[in-house]
Amino acid sequence: MTKNLLSVMLFAFVGGCLRAGCGQLWGGFWGTMLVNLAGSFLLAFLTYHAVLKEQLTGWLNLGIGTGLVGSFTTFGTFSLQSVQLLQHSFLAGAGFMTINLLGGFLMALGGFKLALYLNQERNND
């Protein structure tokens, strides 16, 4: 239990710092969209790649998935920015939400498919 909490805390610190850096680099709506799309891909890829290869212990998988990727992505900022965009332009707000939600799903699917592909390649060698 303590190992799990420490893992989440450590990786959350790193993910939060990465998120802050991306926010400063890209800022605003673009930064939010990029980290959410990248996070969706990474969470699916890392989860399935690690599960299929059985290389990560439970506490490390939890730290990376919940801590790192969970603090890197940002649902709260996405929600707030969606409301802000909708107040100014329905089309911009709807587009932002669509790109984040549909794009996030497609990125997660891509991460999952890449993990499956890499696992098949490993098994064929």
Side-chain angles (χ1 to χ4, degrees), residues 6-113:
L6 289 174
S7 178
V8 171
M9 286 173 24
L10 174 68
F11 280 102
F13 174 78
V14 173
C17 290
L18 289 171
R19 169 66 181 108
C22 290
Q24 289 178 348
L25 184 62
W26 293 299
F29 305 107
W30 288 108
T32 301
M33 189 168 43
L34 291 172
V35 298
N36 285 339
L37 294 176
S40 295
F41 177 85
L42 285 172
L43 183 59
F45 174 75
L46 293 172
T47 298
Y48 285 100
H49 194 59
V51 167
L52 292 171
K53 292 181 97 177
E54 298 177 357
Q55 288 185 331
L56 296 181
T57 62
W59 65 268
L60 188 55
N61 200 17
L62 183 67
I64 291 171
T66 302
L68 181 74
V69 179
S71 67
F72 178 66
T73 57
T74 173
F75 188 76
T77 303
F78 158 72
S79 299
L80 176 63
Q81 289 176 343
S82 296
V83 169
Q84 291 171 337
L85 280 172
L86 286 169
Q87 289 177 339
H88 295 292
S89 166
F90 177 79
L91 188 59
F96 180 72
M97 289 188 301
T98 300
I99 290 170
N100 272 276
L101 296 173
L102 183 59
F105 171 77
L106 293 173
M107 293 298 285
L109 182 62
F112 170 71
K113 293 288 189 178

